[in-house]
Amino acid sequence: EPDVTIVSGLKDTVVSEGDNVTFRCQVSHENARDVEWKLQDVALQNNEMNEISVEKGKIHTLTLRKVTEQDIGTVTFRVGPHTSTA
């Protein structure tokens, strides 16, 4: 299985309270396994507040809906041993 690497990492984002914010990370291969999103070191699941998806097979996206002050912190995307933070 090929080693999946991060081609384009996360970008720091400033967002107003109550708005949605989307983070994108592009990986080198489609159908990457062992992928994880975290906010402040807490693993995120796909639910009504966090939308996790994959576009065109390689672009992994995380949308945080209606962010609050409690959402301030570091977002981490991990694929295998590689990570990107914003």
Side-chain angles (χ1 to χ4, degrees):
E1 190 165 307
D3 184 29
V4 179
T5 59
I6 295 172
V7 176
S8 173
L10 300 177
K11 294 181 175 48
D12 290 342
T13 305
V14 176
V15 63
S16 298
E17 191 166 15
D19 286 351
N20 296 346
V21 60
T22 300
F23 296 91
R24 286 182 178 81
C25 202
Q26 184 175 349
V27 298
S28 58
H29 294 76
E30 291 186 10
N31 305 318
R33 291 187 211 139
D34 195 21
V35 171
E36 182 177 50
W37 286 98
K38 287 184 174 182
L39 174 61
Q40 303 167 14
D41 280 333
V42 176
L44 299 176
Q45 305 297 323
N46 200 21
N47 59 36
E48 67 277 353
M49 297 307 292
N50 314 312
E51 182 185 330
I52 297 171
S53 61
V54 181
E55 300 170 5
K56 300 177 185 158
K58 295 183 183 179
I59 301 170
H60 292 257
T61 64
L62 166 66
T63 300
L64 302 176
R65 292 204 176 97
K66 297 184 175 133
V67 297
T68 67
E69 267 188 39
Q70 284 75 41
D71 295 319
I72 291 172
T74 301
V75 171
T76 305
F77 173 81
R78 180 185 62 76
V79 58
H82 308 284
T83 61
S84 177
T85 59

